[in-house]
Amino acid sequence: MYKFIDDNGNTLTKHLQFFKTAMDVLSGKSNYRKLFFGGGIRGGKTYLCLYIVILACRMFNGLRVHIIRKTFPCLRSTVVPSIKKLLDGVEYEEKMHAGNYYFRFPNGSEIHLFSESFDIDKDLDRFKGLETNIIMLEQIEELQEKTYYKAIERVGTYIMKSGTPPPLILSTMNPTHVMWVRKLIYEPFRDNKIPQDTYIQMITAAENPFIPEYLHENWKSMNDLDYKQYVL
């Protein structure tokens, strides 16, 4: 499902460290509750977080996960194809009814796609009564700060009969000038002032060996500012 070693036998060190950190949280060995994976484009951030989510669903019977992005079309066009690729060879059901799109596993665990939809729900009423174990905030720089705090409010509220894992928020981000995200993630990382319940990992495409060389060459034709911000 996921490779932590490239075709030359080299370990993807940062990916593996992020993965191990998440597994320690789920097994109760770590007090981290918020894991942020940020950095340049095509670093493999979303793919790894989705792999962690899928693995958690297979580890715990009846687990509930919610993946949140700004709009439902964004979820369908980016998250769904990656989930299906990771689920190749795995038994699951894909269901959509009454605006609820989710993947269900034989053990009862579910991954729900949940759009923020702030333009039509500025009070975030959609979060009322939401019970979940894990929340993944995809491209957090596109979301509202209010949504982040709603995620903290709702994560871990689904109590499972077979033993409930610790609450976990996973989040991905690209370089951004959105100030609340910079203050939450980038500045603590830069200044070595990360809260005790938070783990932050930064990465670029240079550390993802599965990106073809032609993409690296193509990115060099971007304007200088965008290249430095989004690639380097």
Side-chain angles (χ1 to χ4, degrees):
M1 290 178 64
Y2 194 94
K3 295 198 298 184
F4 289 103
I5 298 177
D6 68 16
D7 296 336
N8 296 316
N10 301 309
T11 300
L12 279 64
T13 304
K14 289 187 176 180
H15 297 83
L16 186 59
Q17 183 59 48
F18 191 89
F19 171 75
K20 287 182 175 180
T21 302
M23 290 300 103
D24 283 346
V25 174
L26 293 171
S27 63
K29 298 177 182 178
S30 170
N31 291 323
Y32 288 132
R33 295 293 175 261
K34 308 172 187 74
L35 274 58
F36 296 102
F37 209 2
I41 58 175
R42 309 310 297 172
K45 303 177 291 296
T46 296
Y47 204 64
L48 179 54
C49 285
L50 290 175
Y51 176 64
I52 291 168
V53 161
I54 291 169
L55 192 58
C57 284
R58 302 183 72 186
M59 289 170 57
F60 298 97
N61 295 334
L63 191 77
R64 284 188 188 172
V65 179
H66 285 76
I67 301 174
I68 301 174
R69 194 166 183 184
K70 184 177 181 178
T71 68
F72 190 69
C74 284
L75 284 165
R76 291 200 69 170
S77 64
T78 60
V79 171
V80 170
S82 293
I83 289 178
K84 289 183 177 181
K85 186 175 181 180
L86 285 164
L87 287 177
D88 185 35
V90 176
E91 185 179 353
Y92 70 93
E93 293 180 274
E94 182 181 358
K95 296 192 175 185
M96 183 176 180
H97 63 85
N100 188 12
Y101 192 161
Y102 63 96
F103 295 84
R104 183 178 177 87
F105 296 85
N107 67 354
S109 294
E110 295 176 347
I111 300 173
H112 292 258
L113 304 183
F114 192 91
S115 65
E116 179 190 52
S117 301
F118 186 74
D119 290 343
I120 58 174
D121 183 18
K122 290 184 167 49
D123 292 327
L124 299 182
D125 289 333
R126 300 184 71 242
F127 284 82
K128 291 180 179 179
L130 181 68
E131 295 182 346
T132 190
N133 302 110
I134 298 174
I135 289 178
M136 177 178 162
L137 300 172
E138 172 68 347
Q139 301 298 144
I140 193 173
E141 73 276 9
E142 297 178 357
L143 302 174
Q144 302 294 316
E145 184 175 8
K146 189 174 182 179
T147 298
Y148 170 67
Y149 288 106
K150 276 293 180 183
I152 295 175
E153 172 191 322
R154 304 314 308 179
V155 73
T157 55
Y158 184 61
I159 308 303
M160 299 159 55
K161 294 180 180 179
S162 59
T164 306
L168 175 61
I169 294 176
L170 297 166
S171 180
T172 66
M173 62 169 287
N174 285 133
T176 180
H177 293 294
V178 177
M179 288 310 301
W180 79 266
V181 178
R182 290 181 64 85
K183 290 183 180 297
L184 175 70
I185 306 172
Y186 175 68
E187 291 179 8
F189 178 82
R190 179 195 64 192
D191 301 334
N192 197 27
K193 295 181 179 179
I194 302 173
Q196 291 186 349
D197 70 344
T198 301
Y199 178 82
I200 302 173
Q201 180 71 267
M202 297 291 181
I203 199 165
T204 69
E207 296 159 288
N208 182 356
F210 303 110
I211 298 299
E213 185 58 33
Y214 67 77
L215 272 183
H216 291 282
E217 292 300 316
N218 186 57
W219 289 332
K220 291 176 183 178
S221 65
M222 296 167 61
N223 72 71
D224 187 59
L225 181 60
D226 284 349
Y227 181 70
K228 289 178 179 178
Q229 178 176 349
Y230 292 107
V231 179
L232 301 182

